[in-house]
Amino acid sequence: METRYAEATPEEIHAAVFAAGHAPALSAPQRADLLDAIADEIEAIGDDLTEIAGQETALPAGRLNGERGRTTSQLRLFATSLRDGFAQDEIVDVALPERQPAPRPEIRRRLVPIGPVAVFGASNFPLAFSVAGGDTASALAAGCPVVVKAHPLHPGTSELVAQAIYRAMDRTGTDPRWFSLLHGSVEVGTKLVEQPGLKAVAFTGSHRAGRALFDLANRRSQPIPVFAEMGSVNPLFVLPGALGERGETLAAGYAESLLMGVGQFCTNPGVVIGIDSPEFSAFQADVAARLDAAPIGTMLSSGISANFNAVADQIAEKVTGMTHRTEPQSPSLFATSAREFIDHAELREECFGPAAIAVTAADADELMAVVAALDGQLTGTIHLADADSAIASPLAVALGRKVGRLVFNGFPTGVEVGHAMQHGGPYPATTDSRFTSVGTQAIFRFLRPLAIQNAPAGLDLSL
């Protein structure tokens, strides 16, 4: 590993957070200009970015180029939103000096930056959820300086993007204390979260790592929020009417969604549930055949591959139904009953990779029992036809209580970056279901309310 990727020392970690805590405030127009400049500089890197990211992650050029487009688009989306006044409104209670029995002062309530934010790069999105990804974009848009902990699986990619940010800061005259990049292992992340000047953490990754950061932040003498997106099984329900109308189409779409990115998406639909019928049996057989015909993809790292194989092997040992698994790392489909799925919590845990469990319910009541057994999820999907309305309505209500995004007649992979997107969900999908990590609403993770009472005219209150 090159010297420039050396593990950050405790002194460097402290210096980065200290500097962020003393960065001067930027106005909304200045933040917008910075975000646009970062997008420009990332695009200016050209093919070098795709080449290095491909070498480090084994992701194909088409996927990486698309991800770069998503990264620059979301930076520009925040810039445009800031220029439109997004998240900058005040709520005003006008003064009522003559009110009886007591006068009312003028009170203005606004949102202000929470302070320096630590962003942890994700393994599966080296651009869109990494150094200049959605967490960094939304934190900068909120007016919060950022310290990024680069993911060790793509340090060269992280360094290239960080240099683009530094060039954008220089171009726009932004104080250099607004951004820092740190390389290193788990210990670097631990020391970063422990820094007294840090005010929030953004993380995308495994439940184990996300929960460890959450617990660490809450053990501080001054606890801070951790906005951790930790994945889920993203249950997908195929109802009888939909299977009868378009079973083959559903099998093709489901297999495609399951295999997207070698199954390494947090919205991967890892559990498919249907009611016992010849049509649902045919659906499972069709999906299994499509997985069998699919090539074995290269996963992001040997560690992720090993973990996938271990979890898949554990599932194979637990289920008593069909096991379609030809060899390690191969796309896999397991089958089980609703009762077995409900009774064994291990079957409801994420298997990060191209594997799924098909769950067969005896009837609509057992279908609802499956929903009741689920923990919080990022997404839940229902495929239905007109004939399914009696089942679909209570199912949608119950499932909506468990997920952050409810999808009808579609597939959860392919998250739209926009104003209405909710990429989050009840625990354990995330540590705070009130917020999203995708789209413009992500900015509200890094803003806090401040009420200002009877402020004198002309006072500079830039925070």
Side-chain angles (χ1 to χ4, degrees):
M1 185 175 291
E2 297 179 31
T3 304
R4 61 176 176 159
Y5 304 149
E7 180 144 330
T9 65
E11 293 77 17
E12 289 169 335
I13 297 167
H14 173 76
V17 176
F18 183 85
H22 291 80
L26 291 179
S27 67
Q30 288 173 320
R31 284 176 260 148
D33 289 345
L34 174 60
L35 292 167
D36 275 340
I38 294 172
D40 293 342
E41 293 294 340
I42 290 173
E43 289 176 344
I45 299 172
D47 293 340
D48 286 351
L49 184 59
T50 303
E51 182 178 349
I52 290 179
Q55 291 172 1
E56 292 184 326
T57 65
L59 293 173
R63 153 71 192 273
L64 289 168
N65 288 332
E67 191 181 328
R68 174 165 52 184
R70 171 177 168 173
T71 303
T72 55
S73 293
Q74 62 193 9
L75 287 161
R76 291 184 174 121
L77 177 63
F78 275 109
T80 300
S81 298
L82 287 174
R83 294 189 181 99
D84 290 342
F86 180 65
Q88 298 165 58
D89 293 337
E90 283 190 337
I91 300 172
V92 181
D93 287 337
V94 297
L96 298 174
E98 306 302 324
R99 190 183 68 174
Q100 294 298 326
R104 182 175 78 183
E106 178 195 74
I107 302 174
R108 294 177 174 268
R109 187 182 190 273
R110 67 169 66 162
L111 296 174
V112 300
I114 198 170
V117 173
V119 171
F120 284 73
S123 65
N124 58 337
F125 281 89
L127 301 175
F129 274 89
S130 191
V131 175
D135 291 334
T136 297
S138 55
L140 292 176
C144 298
V146 172
V147 179
V148 173
K149 160 67 171 62
H151 198 283
L153 288 185
H154 39 79
T157 306
S158 298
E159 192 70 29
L160 273 182
V161 175
Q163 292 302 322
I165 295 176
Y166 293 135
R167 288 193 297 272
M169 293 167 65
D170 185 60
R171 224 177 86 187
T172 56
T174 303
D175 190 289
R177 290 173 288 186
W178 265 82
F179 174 82
S180 296
L181 177 70
L182 302 173
H183 291 279
S185 59
V186 172
E187 288 74 18
V188 170
T190 298
K191 288 182 171 59
L192 177 58
V193 174
E194 290 174 340
Q195 293 301 307
L198 199 69
K199 298 302 179 184
V201 174
F203 169 85
T204 298
S206 69
H207 179 267
R208 179 185 57 80
R211 183 56 197 253
L213 290 175
F214 178 84
D215 291 342
L216 179 64
N218 280 282
R219 287 197 300 269
R220 292 170 38 129
S221 59
Q222 183 185 89
I224 57 175
V226 174
F227 302 104
E229 187 265 274
M230 301 178 289
S232 62
V233 299
N234 305 297
L236 185 145
F237 293 81
V238 285
L239 299 185
L243 283 172
E245 285 185 2
R246 54 185 192 279
E248 185 176 346
T249 301
L250 289 176
Y254 182 73
E256 180 182 358
S257 182
L258 188 67
L259 293 169
M260 188 178 294
V262 199
Q264 298 167 116
F265 286 173
C266 50
T267 53
N268 196 44
V271 176
V272 58
I273 308 104
I275 295 175
D276 191 16
S277 68
E279 290 80 11
F280 189 48
S281 296
F283 169 86
Q284 294 178 59
D286 193 348
V287 172
R290 293 174 188 276
L291 297 185
D292 189 47
I296 295 178
T298 302
M299 301 191 80
L300 292 162
S301 73
S302 58
I304 289 174
S305 177
N307 185 69
F308 167 72
N309 289 325
V311 175
D313 289 344
Q314 290 171 8
I315 293 173
E317 293 174 0
K318 290 288 181 182
V319 300
T320 56
M322 173 187 71
T323 299
H324 179 81
R325 179 166 169 77
T326 57
E327 58 184 291
Q329 204 169 305
S330 65
S332 307
L333 182 66
F334 308 102
T336 190
S337 67
R339 180 46 51 196
E340 195 169 57
F341 184 77
I342 292 166
D343 289 345
H344 296 284
E346 312 95 285
L347 299 181
R348 303 192 298 275
E349 295 176 2
E350 182 182 33
C351 183
F352 191 66
I357 302 176
V359 179
T360 301
D363 50 30
D365 288 341
E366 205 164 61
L367 202 71
M368 296 297 290
V370 169
V371 180
L374 291 168
D375 290 324
Q377 307 289 325
L378 293 173
T379 74
T381 300
I382 301 173
H383 282 271
L384 71 160
D386 291 344
D388 298 313
S389 58
I391 306 173
S393 292
L395 175 62
V397 170
L399 189 58
R401 296 189 178 112
K402 296 292 184 85
V403 305
R405 178 164 57 110
L406 191 58
V407 180
F408 291 96
N409 292 333
F411 296 94
T413 42
V415 179
E416 179 69 23
V417 180
H419 300 292
M421 178 50 61
Q422 175 62 26
H423 188 63
Y427 185 87
T430 67
T431 49
D432 197 327
S433 63
R434 296 171 298 172
F435 298 98
T436 178
S437 62
V438 175
T440 56
Q441 298 297 308
I443 195 175
F444 293 106
R445 296 175 296 172
F446 309 121
L447 294 168
R448 66 174 181 85
L450 174 67
I452 301 172
Q453 185 169 318
N454 279 343
L459 194 65
D460 183 6
L461 292 175
S462 300
L463 298 174

